[in-house]
Amino acid sequence: MKILLLGALGQLGQDLQKVLAEHEIVPLDREEIDVQVAGQVDAAVDGFHPDIVINCTAFHRVDECEDQLTPTFGVNVYAVRHLALAARRVNVPLVHFSTDYVFDGPQRRPHPETDLPSPKCVYAVSKLAGEFILQSIWPKHFIVRSCGLYGYAGSREKGTNFVETMLKLGASGKPLTIVDDQVCTPTATLDLALAVKQLIATERYGLYHLTAGGECSWYEFAKSIFELAQLHPEVSPVTSDAFPTKAKRPNYSVLDNANLRAAGFADMRHWREALADYIHGRKAAGRAEVEPRG
């Protein structure tokens, strides 16, 4: 199978390349293609003749999305339209990634795919619009909502991920305050890539929630990071009010992977197990060892 992989240099894109290495992969990133330009998308699809297109591109600097509407909707909506039209024209499936941020309602139970979205920030609105535009154009799609991604490559947009940021801060010896009223399920990009590999071997198209098992606040996640890395910073829980942001983050956006189970696959492993493997595998992956300072 030939896979056209867009956003190939991000943390998810790089783990997809590892997991799907048995296939022929055409990796493209923003230096090779601007997905906001329909002509460039068409040229890539027509030139490489893929059997499937996987789109990992996104504009996800969440606070900047509130003001930068052109790149936000250009990448998260219009580019998805270009890809959907191109995939439909050559009759190949399209995999596209969305976010847990589409949920921000009062529910305090994991959201299955059938729950009504309730986005409360521009980023979330743009990602949901991207979902809708793909669903309206091309039935042969896998729309994947996930949450709190972290991988050894780090986010290309942000330059790092939450785990690496916490390791750096935890080693600094300074007291830390971490938000404890936002609950979700951080997910390792390697685990997400493995789940995607299972799905694209089927023709069970549609919307999927793919996250690790369990749930935690960012404070609980950070505490586990420090414990596994044998760091002992002074850490205090605070509410989101302590860190005002331009864009509102969901208070509860835990996802239920109901459609994954319905497709005959097991739930993804618990976030604690995935995090432990990530921490223990950092050295082998080329990440610098973390040593406490002070």
Side-chain angles (χ1 to χ4, degrees), residues 11 60-61 152-161 164-165 287:
Q11 55 188 351
H60 50 63
R61 295 194 292 269
Y152 292 126
S155 165
R156 192 158 191 223
E157 288 290 328
K158 301 172 184 176
T160 184
N161 62 50
E164 296 299 330
T165 298
R287 282 283 183 175

Side-chain angles (χ1 to χ4, degrees), residues 106-233:
Q107 302 95 328
R108 300 295 295 187
R109 50 131 181 98
H111 296 278
E113 291 87 349
T114 51
D115 271 3
L116 185 67
S118 53
K120 298 290 174 60
C121 66
V122 170
Y123 167 70
V125 169
S126 73
K127 294 300 287 183
L128 186 60
E131 292 182 20
F132 286 161
I133 208 162
L134 174 51
Q135 290 169 333
S136 71
I137 291 173
W138 185 222
K140 288 186 178 181
H141 65 254
F142 296 96
I143 295 172
V144 175
R145 293 176 182 153
S146 197
C147 171
L149 298 183
Y150 62 94
Y152 292 126
S155 165
R156 192 158 191 223
E157 288 290 328
K158 301 172 184 176
T160 184
N161 62 50
F162 185 82
V163 178
E164 296 299 330
T165 298
M166 288 300 105
L167 290 173
K168 182 178 179 180
L169 291 173
S172 71
K174 299 177 181 178
L176 302 174
T177 54
I178 311 292
V179 170
D180 195 33
D181 60 354
Q182 296 176 17
V183 178
C184 61
T185 310
T187 301
T189 51
L190 182 59
D191 285 13
L192 178 55
L194 289 167
V196 169
K197 180 180 180 179
Q198 290 180 310
L199 282 180
I200 64 174
T202 76
E203 294 184 355
R204 297 182 66 103
Y205 304 120
L207 172 64
Y208 289 87
H209 290 171
L210 299 182
T211 64
E215 61 183 60
C216 61
S217 69
W218 292 109
Y219 170 76
E220 292 169 324
F221 191 50
K223 290 281 284 185
S224 292
I225 293 168
F226 300 142
E227 177 185 345
L228 289 164
Q230 298 184 359
L231 297 172
H232 307 284

Side-chain angles (χ1 to χ4, degrees), residues 59-81:
F59 190 87
H60 50 63
R61 295 194 292 269
V62 178
D63 290 317
E64 293 181 29
C65 290
E66 294 295 307
D67 298 318
Q68 297 190 31
L69 300 184
T70 297
T72 298
F73 284 86
V75 177
N76 296 345
V77 184
Y78 297 118
V80 182
R81 177 180 183 272

